[in-house]
Amino acid sequence: MLFTDSLFIFGLILLFLLYFLIPQKYRWMLLLAASIAFYAYSGWTNLLYIAATAVSTFFITRKIEKMAGAAKDEVSAHKSEWSRDEKKAFKERAKKKRRRWLTLLLIFNFGMLAVIKYGAFTMQNVNSIIGWFGEHGTLPVPNFLLPMGISFYLFQTMGYAIDVYREKYPCEKNFGRLALFVSFFPQLIQGPISRYDDLAKGLYAGNGFDAERVQLGVQRILWGYFKKVALADRILPAVTLLISDPEQYQGMYALLGMLYYTLQLYADFTGGIDITIGIGQVLGIPIAENFQRPFFSKNITEYWRRWHITLGTWFKDYLFYPISVAQPMLKLSKWSREKLGKNIGKYLPVYVSTIVVWFVTGLWHGAAWNFIVWGLMNAVIILISERCTPLYSRFHKKFAWSNTHAYDGFQAIRTTLMMGCLRMFDCYRDVPLTFKMFGTMFYKWNVHVFWDGSLMQLKLTAADYGVLLAGTVILFIASLLGRKGSVRKRIWDRSRVLSCCMTVTLLLIVLIFGAYGIGYDSSQFIYNQF
Amino acid sequence: MANKKVLFSGLAMVLTAGVLLAAYQRLVQPKYMSDVVEGNLIADYYNSGKDHDVLFIGDCECYENFSPVKLWEQYGISSYIRGSAQQLIWQSYYLLEDTLRYEKPKVVVFNVLSMKYGEPQNEAYNRMSIEGMKWSGAKINNIKASMTEEESALSYVFPVLRYHSRWSELTADDFRYYFGAEPNFFSGYYLRADAKAAENVPNPTPLTDYAFSDTCWDYLGKMMQLCAENHIQLVLVKAPSLYPFWYDEWDQQITDYASKYHLPYLNFLNEDKLEATGIDFETDTYDGGLHLNVYGAEKLADWFGGYLTEKFDLQDRSHEPQLQAEWNDICARYHAEVDRQLQNLEQYGNVKGEA
Amino acid sequence: MNKKLLAAAVCSAALLTMLCGCGADNNSSTAPASSESSAAESSAAEESAAESSEEASSEAESSEESAAEQTAETAQITFDYVLNGTTIVVGEEAAPVLEALGEAESVFEAPSCAFTGVSYYYTYGGVQVVTYPDEHDQSLNRLYEVDLVDDTAATNEGIKVGDTYDDLLAKYGTPDQETPAYAMYQTEGKAVRFFLEGENIKQIVYTIVM
């Protein structure tokens, strides 16, 4: 089911009404029922996958917590008998045992993901290798239908399991409540990837109706629909056209495709997240922000702190740091300091960890080489930027004009363009083709397309361009205003009537300027495939 | 107190949004006054006196080939053509159901060309045949039966969902006719006074399968039953349109069906009928043989009126005051329209009066 | 020790797959936004894979062979009629073909109800070329059909109106579909139909097949 299905919208309105009418203690159960229904709509068999994750996580985290408790008790019981070293050794052994259970859980769940999402990709490549040796690579290539949201809910749940192992918080003892955490429906389509301790604050609270919260939540939902339906869906046919025929659409067309895709991805993804967070807000469930004005970033490192934030922090907490402090990495660090000198040696582990994380990040986005190359290129640019930091500092110290707002603006535009170029891997889905199309931007100098009417041949009318332009300006202004805090909140505080007017206005804008219905192809959110 | 305030604000917002959307919806709904006027046919019925002895249902072969004014002036027969562009047989059935909520004619005349369409065809034609209907069970069933895959029932309940993007295509008509269309038809008849002789009518391309679909037979049966229940005489006709092709194999199936159920079936393409009606495809068609112009339509009505009067004992009702008042108006507009179109033809070479 | 071996194996495998995969042509060239169809694609692929495996297992070898023969035969039949040197491909845009054919002897206009789009019939001797308005752009005409209505025109394979059914079989082979009224040969999106009156061909139609 999509956010833009009329069934979803009706269901959501019904859910909101029921949620506030039923007694508080049943509210989380209603959410669980809604989440199951939402998921089942995509196919009953898909429920088995998410159930497997929920069940395995529930039992194993409880086991781990019990084992930790038992170990503590054991140590307490022998407090006076055991020496410090003995206690340490015992704790290490107990932790190892718990780690094995965690590893089992991770292998089971990530294994499921690996097979379903990456099985075909792996077998295709294996067949290619076999082909090298002259044989025909005819190993079977599996073809699984990807259960909706598996990349999101799986990461979210495994994060919870790792946190329980790390004894960050006690595990959830109620299976229903854990199931809700795993399957909370607004997050299933495209995240964000929440942390249990954050989400649990509101998820089970069954918060009651609050006019301000509900109004602001509804406004956020409508704002998300505006971005998604009026902007992303509107520019989609142009993006599809430009990318579908690389032979015809080169040079400036490739640039246009890149820019249009940038707008489309931003509007689509942030719009969907707005809807998700807005739903949470109405229900009194705070959900983590996933975007923070990413196109205001001055460099790539900052960009990745502002774009798809929860994915970045997940990889940082559960992949980057563990790798960085793992024994093999510490050994590598020692070895490289000895063999390659202090300078390189100090940084090698960080670089290796970074590359690994970005390799996996690329892979997370899709089971194809273009995603992996995209991830690795991000890593390379980040590492180069990192190395050049002293250079940049000197640059900024030397030239005063490099500390002005104008220069900030230049940096933001530069970063946006650079990320757009990287995103071309996502467009063309083929590594050599992407490089080729990127190259055509420089040698195929067909700038006339900007003024000879070619822009009107891209399935966009003058009216469409008008809406897109106005929409982009509105987004920009909203982002500028948003730097000081929530715009909706400020309007509410100023005047309730004005706030109500804004809600009605947003609704009208979505319905009137939305690119939906006959004549528009309703698209799924781009991140729906995850 | 706070709760009441919240409830009130909520209701106020919903109402405001509703009113504004309704107003916007009216603006963007096509007015069908300039280009595709046929879109107003279905709604036009509700402005009529709803006292008709003969009801025609069917597609453009219905509303362009029979002149109700001629039927009235010659025979005192009050008739209405509840036709629309590419009206499908189930749409005809549900329109009949709808009409029966208002009146009970003595005769229903159905043009059988739509037997060739067993499945929903085209969203635009669906809109024109359905949107003008007033809400009823018949309209709901009509929507369900007619929707193509890309359509949604919700967009029929709230047409703003279908037409919302027309803000960039608004014309002067959308404002001029905001509060309603002006009558463009004459008891459901679409008038053309120009002539274009039928020539080079192509050879019909044979089909691999001449069988009508089960859906169509079902609805024909339902139509027959509905008429029988209401003591209405159903008459099947094939209007004298040279295209789309009406194959002999199709004609035979209808003939057999009519014979089986004792229904009159008149194929006006047959030589004897053409001779009897006097239709001349040199002068009596405005588009090369696809549809008759007003002269052809009057000839056909002339003959058909006599047939109906004789066969079904229809009375001359031209002396009834209420009908008189209604039909005087229709006839006056009709003749004025003929004059206007002829004038335009002379001045501009087209009936619309476009330079 | 075991863990290290496992790690090494995984790394080597990853490295190998990286080396061979780089530059591999990824099958999907659809736009990213329609990558939602990757889910639909994989389900469609799954279904058709299941179907075709069922069919393959249940069909006898001989029918497989004859199917192969059939495809070989029909692969030699042409489905694009050539008129006065101009190849007419049904489904394609009409304008270039009509320009190449020159002025027709007669033209019949057939507007659809309410004039949303017009079909045209162009007559060139014994050949009738029919166009239809494109579904998404009513002003664009596409070629719908070519009818050979008399014996002045023959198909590319030499069959014309008046020839017998046996003549047809000799030149075209076994039809893909036939009844006493017609014999049809089909390919992707197109077909050529031979309508019969008794034993003789009365009309030949090149047409689009949905």
Side-chain angles (χ1 to χ4, degrees), chain B residues 85-98:
Chain B
Q86 207 181 71
Q87 191 182 97
L88 303 167
I89 186 171
W90 52 87
Q91 292 170 345
S92 304
Y93 172 75
Y94 291 117
L95 282 165
L96 176 60
E97 250 192 32
D98 179 59

Side-chain angles (χ1 to χ4, degrees), chain A residues 180 269 352 477 505:
Chain A
L180 176 58
F269 201 1
V352 171
I477 292 174
T505 307

